[in-house]
Amino acid sequence: MEEFDAVVIGAGFAGLYQLYRLRQLGFATRGFEAGGSVGGTWYWNRYPGARCDVESMDYSYSFSEELEQEWEWSERYPAQPEILRYLDHVADRFDLRPLIRFDTRVTSAVYDDRTHRWTVATDHGDTVSARFVIAATGCLSAWQVPEFEGLESFRGATYHTGNWPKEGVDFTGLRVGVIGTGSSGIQAIPRIAEQAAALHVFQRTPNYSVPARNHPLTPEYQRSRKATYREYRARAKYSGGGHSAIPPTQSALEVGDEERWSEYERRWRIGGAPLMQMVYKDIMTSEEANRTIAEFVRAKIREIVRDPAVAEKLTPVDHPFGAKRLCVDIGYFETYNRDNVHLVDVRHSPIETITPRGVVTGGREYELDAIVFATGYDAMTGPLLNLGIRGRGGRRLDEVWSEGPRAYLGIQVAGFPNLFTVTGPGSPSVLSNMVVSIEQHVDWVSDCLSYMREHGIETIEPDGEAQDAWVEHVNTAAEATLHPRAKSWYLGDNIPGKPRVFMPYVGGVGAYREKCDEVVLRGYEGFVLTGGDH
């Protein structure tokens, strides 16, 4: 059995940077990646229209000034192929590929109480031993399809946006059904509509979406941004969401209706989620304030969609604006003005069955040649629970988390020594610019491993009381917002039987970073360290 200091699971943004840092520090490391190359979520999500909803010059690494200066982004919001090219470039520039075993899925990670080491097994039948296991598996990598009756009988082609064929799909002249109108559905539907003879969108829950206003980046803009990249990055690290935007100080209720509407209109024309979400300080804490921007977006939908009946079906009314992940689109609502696009409301008439010919809802069969499942992921916990993790005494992580995830700072779980979770439950993760949160976690973990080596420390894991206090703090922070008012994957609502727990931390990346730094300054307060001279 090969022995390593650390095993890193995943080779997306988190895994690549973690491998880079560990090699830099002299740790013997092995990476495992289920995909055929680097990229993580951007390796699998190749569906038409796949694009990041964070601006490209923000959604990039900050650890290397040379990398920042040499890479040229082409658009305001990067499309999947460009992000994948960027990560390929990073892997090659820093020679990270030799550390990774591709097309290799981790099937179990088991801790040995006697040796204080982890045994990691893969679907190739091989095993390795490591002191540390770092799960860089991503928050949105466990894609899922609901158990529709009759699905296996469908004679046409089926696809999931989270596991798209590498060679792409040509829908020209086909009758296509898209099930789901979350972020991936909202991105894919306009592109599929351009090809399909007929597109039926099966919508259970209408979503708020704001325009991306995507455009090419000029060389002049890139030069000006790069000239101040260091200052920009420093602000982003201590911001609320990992962007450098100045947080609002004014309430939506402190200004008149006309001024407020005018400000919403100005930001709508510029486009992008952060600008709309950060317009006033109480958008996510006051129902009355939230109602003002929700009504603005609803009015925009009614203005864009020509058929009033279709517009009403597309208008969200059952949850606050921004309580679910805010979508960013390119021509989504306009797509419903096309003659070949048909909206099917499955909230009031749920999908009854899938037949060899198509989808049945409301007693009607929609004949289809292909079905696209834009049905999302078992978010945040799914990728970790799929690893077959067993900690002290053989306890399984899925048993420990049977009533919802419990972790300290989203970095470690009590009872699982030397196991680290990058952007795990209880950290800002999906409520932030993921790259900022990833870099902060990877740096924290890397510094922790260095500290342990320097002081001869054998194991580290959370103290149970500290973990309980952090979980309570995460829950209390969420309850102070409007997030729990919506059924969303933030709470696991999209997975039948999954405990309803708000998983990310809403306190902001800056406050969270300060908490993590404070824990270290106090001698890893809240953690139990064994052995050594700490």
Side-chain angles (χ1 to χ4, degrees):
M1 187 187 300
E2 287 188 276
E3 294 192 352
F4 296 93
D5 294 320
V7 161
V8 177
I9 306 171
F13 271 97
L16 289 178
Y17 183 43
Q18 185 67 77
L19 288 167
Y20 169 82
R21 282 299 317 271
L22 292 178
R23 187 184 60 189
Q24 188 183 48
L25 292 167
F27 287 96
T29 309
R30 166 62 52 82
F32 290 112
E33 166 56 49
S37 185
V38 301
T41 218
W42 298 109
Y43 176 85
W44 301 103
N45 283 257
R46 301 167 183 266
Y47 60 86
R51 187 180 297 275
C52 187
D53 57 5
V54 176
E55 294 192 27
S56 56
M57 297 196 74
D58 293 345
Y59 196 76
S60 54
Y61 290 119
S62 69
F63 71 85
S64 166
E65 291 188 46
E66 293 80 9
L67 175 63
E68 281 182 330
Q69 294 300 319
E70 72 193 15
W71 184 262
E72 296 286 318
W73 292 100
S74 68
E75 296 179 281
R76 180 186 183 187
Y77 290 99
Q80 178 270 338
E82 187 166 23
I83 299 172
L84 199 55
R85 284 196 300 274
Y86 173 72
L87 291 172
D88 276 329
H89 172 73
V90 170
D92 293 334
R93 192 190 194 287
F94 298 105
D95 195 27
L96 298 173
R97 293 184 197 274
L99 301 175
I100 308 165
R101 294 294 176 266
F102 294 107
D103 294 310
T104 306
R105 189 176 295 277
V106 168
T107 55
S108 69
V110 180
Y111 182 74
D112 188 317
D113 293 288
R114 184 180 55 83
T115 62
H116 308 299
R117 294 182 68 84
W118 288 86
T119 298
V120 178
T122 76
D123 59 356
H124 287 215
D126 54 338
T127 58
V128 299
S129 171
R131 276 192 68 199
F132 306 102
V133 171
I134 302 161
T137 45
C139 298
L140 299 172
S141 58
W143 55 277
Q144 61 92 32
V145 175
E147 295 181 0
F148 292 113
E149 181 183 332
L151 174 57
E152 68 287 345
S153 73
F154 181 62
R155 288 199 291 258
T158 59
Y159 308 95
H160 192 285
T161 51
N163 187 27
W164 202 260
K166 196 172 182 178
E167 64 276 11
V169 181
D170 184 3
F171 291 109
T172 301
L174 300 184
R175 300 165 299 175
V176 182
V178 174
I179 300 176
T181 52
S183 291
S184 56
I186 281 175
Q187 289 185 335
I189 285 164
R191 303 289 78 81
I192 294 173
E194 293 169 357
Q195 288 187 335
L199 174 61
H200 289 86
V201 177
F202 296 90
Q203 174 192 267
R204 183 178 61 183
T205 307
N207 266 314
Y208 293 99
S209 186
V210 300
R213 308 293 186 206
N214 190 44
H215 54 75
L217 294 181
T218 65
E220 294 75 23
Y221 174 79
Q222 295 213 50
R223 278 197 298 272
S224 67
R225 275 293 301 274
K226 287 180 178 181
T228 58
Y229 235 150
R230 290 294 89 194
E231 297 91 333
Y232 186 93
R233 300 288 204 186
R235 289 198 306 273
K237 288 178 180 179
Y238 288 93
S239 66
H243 310 273
S244 70
I246 298 170
T249 57
Q250 193 174 35
S251 164
L253 308 177
E254 291 175 359
V255 298
D257 293 349
E258 188 175 333
E259 180 184 342
R260 187 173 55 240
W261 198 272
S262 176
E263 183 60 20
Y264 291 153
E265 182 67 44
R266 184 183 75 83
R267 292 176 181 241
W268 181 270
R269 287 175 181 170
I270 297 171
L275 210 61
M276 295 299 291
Q277 289 176 303
M278 294 180 63
V279 55
Y280 296 111
K281 67 178 182 180
D282 50 358
I283 290 295
M284 287 308 302
T285 56
S286 161
E287 287 192 48
E288 190 177 355
N290 189 280
R291 200 174 298 118
T292 65
I293 194 166
E295 191 45 57
F296 173 83
V297 176
R298 291 170 191 149
K300 283 295 180 186
I301 296 170
R302 296 181 187 114
E303 179 184 308
I304 294 168
V305 181
R306 290 196 289 265
D307 185 326
V310 175
E312 284 310 304
K313 289 178 183 177
L314 289 166
T315 301
V317 294
D318 66 344
H319 62 278
F321 171 88
K324 301 175 70 167
R325 185 174 183 87
L326 182 60
C327 299
V328 179
D329 71 88
I330 299 176
Y332 174 65
F333 293 113
E334 291 85 346
T335 298
Y336 292 93
N337 293 328
R338 298 177 62 106
D339 292 337
N340 67 325
V341 177
H342 314 282
L343 182 64
V344 183
D345 181 1
V346 296
R347 164 164 287 186
H348 298 104
S349 299
I351 292 174
E352 297 162 25
T353 186
I354 294 177
T355 70
R357 293 186 302 273
V359 173
V360 176
T361 172
R364 175 182 170 184
E365 183 178 46
Y366 295 86
E367 294 192 9
L368 304 169
D369 301 305
I371 299 175
V372 174
F373 293 98
T375 46
Y377 305 86
D378 185 352
M380 300 191 70
T381 56
L384 297 169
L385 297 179
N386 286 345
L387 297 177
I389 297 171
R390 289 178 178 265
R392 285 193 188 277
R395 289 199 71 191
R396 291 175 11 204
L397 184 61
D398 58 356
E399 292 174 344
V400 174
W401 282 4
S402 62
E403 295 181 7
R406 303 186 68 79
Y408 184 40
L409 302 176
I411 292 175
Q412 275 205 304
V413 181
F416 296 81
N418 294 356
L419 170 71
F420 299 88
T421 56
V422 180
T423 63
S427 72
S429 59
V430 293
L431 294 181
S432 67
N433 174 355
M434 284 298 300
V435 184
V436 171
S437 289
I438 283 167
E439 286 191 321
Q440 185 260 331
H441 260 199
V442 168
D443 287 339
W444 194 98
V445 171
S446 303
D447 292 345
C448 176
L449 267 57
S450 293
Y451 178 87
M452 292 176 70
R453 181 173 60 185
E454 181 182 341
H455 294 273
I457 294 163
E458 204 152 35
T459 66
I460 182 171
E461 65 179 293
D463 170 75
E465 289 185 6
Q467 178 171 282
D468 290 345
W470 182 253
V471 170
E472 185 178 348
H473 173 62
V474 171
N475 291 335
T476 300
E479 288 298 331
T481 73
L482 299 177
H483 283 292
R485 307 289 179 89
K487 288 185 175 181
S488 74
W489 56 259
Y490 291 152
L491 293 115
D493 285 316
N494 61 322
I495 305 296
K498 187 169 181 174
R500 195 171 196 269
V501 175
F502 194 79
M503 293 179 282
Y505 176 55
V506 301
V509 301
Y512 175 81
R513 181 185 296 270
E514 289 172 354
K515 169 66 176 176
C516 290
D517 291 347
E518 181 184 303
V519 161
V520 173
L521 288 172
R522 294 184 176 179
Y524 287 91
E525 182 180 53
F527 289 94
V528 178
L529 286 70
T530 65
D533 59 357
H534 59 285

